[in-house]
Amino acid sequence: MPTVSVNKQQLFDLLGKDYTSQEFDELCFEFGMEMDEDTTEEALKTGEEPELKLDISANRYDLLCIEGISQSLNEYLERKERPDYKLSKPTTKLIIDKSTEQIRPFATAAVLRNIKLNEKSYASFIALQDKLHANLCRNRSLVAMGTHDLDSIEGPFHYRALPPKDIKFVPLNQTQEFTGDKLIEFYKSPEQKNNIGRYVHIIEDSPVFPVIMDSKDRVCSLPPLINSEHSKISVNTRNILIDITATDKTKAEIVLNILTTMFSRYCDEPFTVEPVEIVSEHNGQSRLAPNFNDRIMDVSIKYINSCLGLDQSADEIAHCLKKMSLHAVQSKEDKDILHVDIPVTRPDILHACDIMEDAAVGYGFNNLPKGEKLSNANFIAKPLPINKVSDIFRVASSQATWVEVLPLTLCSHDENFKFLRQSDNGDLAVKLANPKTLEYQVVRTTLLPGILKTVKENRKHSLPIKVFETGDVVFKDDKLERKAYNERHWAAIYVGKNSGFEIIQGLLGKIMQTFRTEWIADYGVAASGRGYWIEEDDSVKTYFPGRGAKVMFRSKEGAEPKQIGHLGVLHPEVMMNFDVPFAASFVEVNAEVFL
Amino acid sequence: MSDFQLEILKKLDELDEIKSTLATFPQHGSQDVLSALNSLKAHNKLEFSKVDTVTYDLTKEGAQILNEGSYEIKLVKLIQELGQLQIKDVMSKLGPQVGKVGQARAFKNGWIAKNASNELELSAKLQNTDLNELTDETQSILAQIKNNSHLDSIDAKILNDLKKRKLIAQGKITDFSVTKGPEFSTDLTKLETDLTSDMVSTNAYKDLKFKPYNFNSQGVQISSGALHPLNKVREEFRQIFFSMGFTEMPSNQYVETGFWNFDALYVPQQHPARDLQDTFYIKDPLTADLPDDKTYMDNIKAVHEQGRFGSIGYRYNWKPEECQKLVLRTHSTAISARMLHDLAKDPKPTRLFSIDRVFRNEAVDATHLAEFHQVEGVLADYNITLGDLIKFMEEFFERMGVTGLRFKPTYNPYTEPSMEIFSWHEGLQKWVEIGNSGMFRPEMLESMGLPKDLRVLGWGLSLERPTMIKYKVQNIRELLGHKVSLDFIETNPAARLDEDLYE
């Protein structure tokens, strides 16, 4: 969610009222913004002008500057009409060359003619571009914009892709001329790393760089990196050329529309934008830009009323929508249809449901009649079977005086393998591609690392330490759509001055008995029905040699016995790998066999 | 009752009062007496008071002086025998101890004097005295102490001096005076400390008397197991869902495909949530399969690319490869999407919930962990309204003891309208966000094949946040993960969400 800082007094002047903090908070809340911070108190100390920090919905690009916020709130408060955005006649062209298809295929442009900015509006113009670049434009990868003093350059303009060494210009805020390849080097320097350097990766590996030139082949900008020093704008610039280049055409148009609608209010002819003729013959996309034709979307009055639980007339709905900058008129042919005129500033409206939501906001979420329709009577609730099994494990373990722990599912590769004296044959564990720390390299395949880490953090606790966990481990499986599946495990440990193997063995017996599974003597031979036994097994290197066993389970008479887990005295190396200087016994069982 | 206790009672019956137990029962030590008296007093048989008396006993050296006479007497007798004695020979004749003390005390008593040639002689006052008639004060005081007579007539300074010289040692004699108690009698039953099974089975308890119990105590620490507090709160939520007719979803699937985690939920492929900064991608295994339902896939492609079902779509180049990327699910809504897709085979009013782990590639701090639990409810019904959602949320949160909700418009790629749920926090004196909710978008539902008029409400909140508030935990790492203290788990109370959760 983007946060926009606006000058408090300037906003209140634009809204025609000095709001108290609480009043403004209330206004924001009902409209769908969040007042994150009011810097009035801080500003008293620093002597700066107080600002309001507003959290804006991520799809409302028209609210990323004070111009748009005040315009929308004034319409919401019914203080102002929606501007009628118009185009004048084009005076120049942007000619798109086919070569740009290799790197950044879309471009568009517009002119803000006879504009008068002051310091505040100039700063807002720059800040809006920054916000758009950071959010909608995905850090310039999808869309980048440049602004130029039109009086310093001459159309028609050309958008081309050229080999880096053939591009030569003085970039913005530099004094020296660079070629494209030298410029990349320059921006990769440590001083620029967190500035323009952040965008270098978008083009650096391409054999050609996108470039916008004027009719005299002067470089205006090298998107998405930098404009030229020559064409740079200032607060006094009267005619601004906006260039937009993009890999996503829809977003390029949104950005151009937002920039021009928000700032055309400062032109001598307010809300009028001078279009640019886009010549794009190679792909048949020649057109006039921007496109200010309003969209009309038809919405059913019944649909809106049904969603909101209201019985409003066409006029009443239209009134709610008008507060949200949507102009609606009832269709002459079909009384149920509203023709809703959607301004170019509202690209977030994709579907009738978006209009329905605006009708709800216009009405006020908290004014809506509360529905009484939903009764709980007709629904039979069911727990997830494996969660029920888990709960049996959990309750039985805690009754047996073990303490439940909840370690994380993610762990380091070593914790899951090497520290347990296990090797990774590659077909078991899911591995993460982009963890921020070594702590999160794999999804665990056993509950042991988390339990041992918990014991380590609680070494000072009185001995013995008896903890258990019932949780999911994850295994790879190439046959599944998701290539991996969860398996519910139960595990418990006894940590003390001695290994307590018999205690863990006894706990296993208690748990098994809870699941109607008796111990069978002589390794399953003494009885033929359902039951369990343990058999020595030295294959799990995590255990001390001669002190590891597998847990065998026969589900019913005649069923093939199968291994469902293992238990044993943990190897001293394992204990020391986890910094736990005690003896311990551990048991882990696949809980899903009891489903 | 011991014989001694009986003896005391009999004596008391006979004498009516025992002025000194020391005198009456000289053969019993004071500890024995005290314990017998205490025991009898507990039965209200008697009252007693304690008198401590200081006593002195002769040390070995003191006893020797009593027998042989004091050192000063020994010295004057020696001088008398020899006529004169060189000072330097005193020590060698009498030994250092006797010589030194004897000389000092004989001088002090004025019994000896020193002549010009540094020799000791009897003083003038002793010249014609029969030494056997000389009073040996030290010896006679020691005799008096030994006989324990008229000790109070002895000067305290002298006693101190004798103590310092280690001729006597101070001791203490404890004596008791005893009178009859309110329930005096000469018979007695022993007070029992505990009721035993024998007493129960034999009815013996009826004839027994029991010791009073000290109730100002905590009892013994019992050994006990414990369930984790986060799971206890989870259980509270489960019960709320069950009570409202919600069935638990199979949320045990951490690895998800880009398709189910994002595309199915109408999250565009360039959405920031899909960034490496926010989502854990998986490198092994690397590529997922696409869902089997080809119509569904085609609908999803269309709603993203050019729109369908009345939507104009996001209008970008949608790539199936993005769907095939594997991720650790960032929200449990990925499971809800799968369940809703299944519902499309037989659409009907449905209520589902899940409480399970989700993963975010976030920097860890006091309120963020890479893993946490999401509580999610999904409710599908025909022609339900936003007002129904609001009312339902009020009912749901009321069962957690949270009332007075407010709803704020917000944005979420897969719900429209979307509402953040706020409740007033008394402690913070402000509205705090407690959950998120909305109606799933038609682009998502109709792509699955669900009918237009079956509307689906969804809402969610984290499990950790209300738990942190409930148990006053400031740092999420003290609640989830391996750094949680076992003491905290062992001692935390029942969850009971209906008790003042957000206040």
Side-chain angles (χ1 to χ4, degrees), chain A residues 405-408 410-411 415 439-440 449-458, chain B residues 369 477-486:
Chain A
V405 295
L406 275 185
L408 300 185
L410 305 179
C411 60
E415 284 163 353
E439 269 184 288
Y440 310 131
I451 285 181
L452 279 175
K453 283 199 281 182
T454 306
V455 171
K456 174 191 168 183
E457 296 291 331
N458 284 281
Chain B
L369 267 181
R477 284 166 286 192
E478 289 163 18
L479 187 64
L480 176 64
H482 55 269
K483 295 201 169 143
V484 179
S485 149
L486 293 181

Side-chain angles (χ1 to χ4, degrees), chain A residues 250 306-307 357 433 436 476, chain B residues 281 284 315 361 386 416 455:
Chain A
T250 307
S306 151
C307 286
E357 183 190 53
K436 288 198 171 87
K476 282 166 66 171
Chain B
Y281 283 87
D284 180 19
R315 289 151 289 142
N361 196 7
L386 203 52
E416 187 83 0
R455 297 190 190 131

